[in-house]
Amino acid sequence: MRGLVSLSWGRLATALLLVFVHLNLAAALSVPRFFELEARTRADLDANTVRRELGSRLSPGTLIFGPSDGKFPATTARWNTFAPPQIQVVVQPASEADVAKIVQYCNANGIDFLATNGGHGNSASLGTFTGVQISMALLRTITIQPNKKSAWFQGGVYGGLVTKYLWERGFVTTTGSCLYGMVVDNVLQLNVVLGDGRAIRVSPTSNSDLLWGMKGAGHNFGIVTSFELNIFPRGPDTWHYHNYIWTGAQLERVFTSLNRLHNNGSTPVNMALNFGFFFMNTTVSTTDPILSWTFAYRGPANEAEALLAEFNAIPSVYNEQGDVPYSGVSKVQGNAEDDFICQKGNKRITTTAGLQVYNLTAERLIYNGFRARAISHPTLAAGAGILHEGYSTAGVGARNPADTAYPFRSDHHLMLFNGVVPPNDPVLEELAWEWANEVKDMWNAGQPTRTENNYVNYANGYEDLETVYGREPWRLARLRALKQKYDPQNKFRFYNPIVESREGKGKGKGKGKGKGKRRSFQG
Ligand SMILES: Cc1cc2nc3c(=O)[nH]c(=O)nc-3n(C[C@H](O)[C@H](O)[C@H](O)COP(=O)(O)OP(=O)(O)OC[C@H]3O[C@@H](n4cnc5c(N)ncnc54)[C@H](O)[C@@H]3O)c2cc1C
């Protein structure tokens, strides 16, 4: 499918333009810049050259550096090193206006560019990139608007920063929870740099057709330099949290209670942040993974504990509870930026699924599969975590599914298999892929009447496009029409692309090894 898309307009457009350029070349030998598809290629790209040619055009404070710079490793570090982008030079713009200039410079020199923010992007399609990383790390200004109903955020902000900033000023927004729907449901307008280097406003009155695409597939269309998002009064001063560790023996009771709590998408709205893992904790057992669950409730302990009574009745190995400001919830739930789960530099094998309810048989089989690996391949088991997310999703389901490019509003649970493998161990890596696909298959087999859905931000890049962007034919058709209009050169093709690389950069085509399910982005 991706090949067809590429041929249908991407390659054709390229071919026509090349003919045009060649004709001009033959006629004049020198080609004006504006006739060239990609004016030059820059095989000898290095930071000194970029600094010399581009540096003076950018704002003071902008940083340009390459692999020999001490800042390079941290700036290019990835959460998943399975198929990392190949970064030749990093440019860290100090102002939003610089982003367009960097893109224009890259285009004029035939250099690919990739915006990065947190480096958590997981898709193996990122591994097809070689070129300039536009690091958004210096663009982190947040400006609350006078009406206190929205704020402008620059393109380099991230969840923890936003949560803390707003909380201290009496507000919250859609970071971490879905109380008010998803982030995309609350975006009012965006400033975007397109692939040709034009800076545009995307709003209900300006380039309004693109607003729909930016809400769920924005990485295919441009670099967001800033965006305006709804904010809300922060509500109660504290959130109640309760963390539990159960043994596998309690699995059926735990999932029965989880299904009752979530009630097929009707999770009590204030029971906002709930998730759990299967993982090894050898102080509990060297063969049996634990079930580690955490619940965070927007409000006082008595309200939360009434909803958690069933869980309190399940004998646990350990549990702890407390009350913290919202800005402290990620820390007590173990997913703050300095926590293990966010740690960068590991080679990870992942698969995902979207569910409505937990299937007890599937979960027992998945647990038993984990236990088998703990015995047969303890190294593999030691680095693995099987994530089950169950946020309160009423705000997500309340929106019209057609309003945004996000297609899976009827999924209530996001699942992620996350295996960590050593850098050079193809045998263990293959075993991890088998395991990852097995878990995914079990999740999907546990909901035989539903389709396979892969949340774009958890997708590993090998999934079929329809399972990521939606099966309704109009969805991909609409995205492709927007792509043709706003990024005809397919400059944004490195993160779960809706149009595959026209240069065939996906290293090696065809199916991979993991039960015929893997595509071939891997380097
Ligand atoms: C530990 C962990 C927990 C997570 N939890 C959640 C969760 O609870 N909910 C959820 O929805 N997702 C979650 N995710 C997924 C996360 O949202 C995605 O991985 C996301 O793409 C990460 O963005 P990033 O900026 O960190 O990554 P990057 O790799 O820097 O960027 C990812 C993609 O976005 C593009 N990009 C970055 N900045 C910009 C910009 N300013 N304009 C345009 N494009 C840009 C990049 O080019 C790249 O294609 C989680 C991921 C991890 C690793």
Side-chain angles (χ1 to χ4, degrees), residues 16-31:
L16 289 174
L17 279 164
L18 282 173
V19 168
F20 188 58
V21 168
H22 286 158
L23 284 175
N24 276 279
L25 267 174
L29 283 178
S30 118
V31 181

Side-chain angles (χ1 to χ4, degrees), residues 78-79 114-122 126 134 136 154-158 176 214 218-219 222-226 335 341-343 348 387 389 391 414 416 455-458 492 494-496:
R78 308 287 316 169
W79 181 73
L114 179 75
T116 63
N117 191 358
H120 278 187
N122 183 47
L126 286 163
I134 305 176
M136 304 297 282
Q154 285 192 312
V157 296
Y158 58 91
M214 294 304 294
H219 43 273
I223 300 175
V224 177
T225 59
S226 56
N335 62 350
I341 182 67
C342 296
Q343 195 181 318
R348 299 171 189 269
L387 172 63
E389 287 186 347
Y391 299 167
L414 290 180
L416 184 73
Y455 174 45
V456 65
N457 277 336
Y458 286 5
F492 297 99
F494 302 108
Y495 185 74
N496 296 320

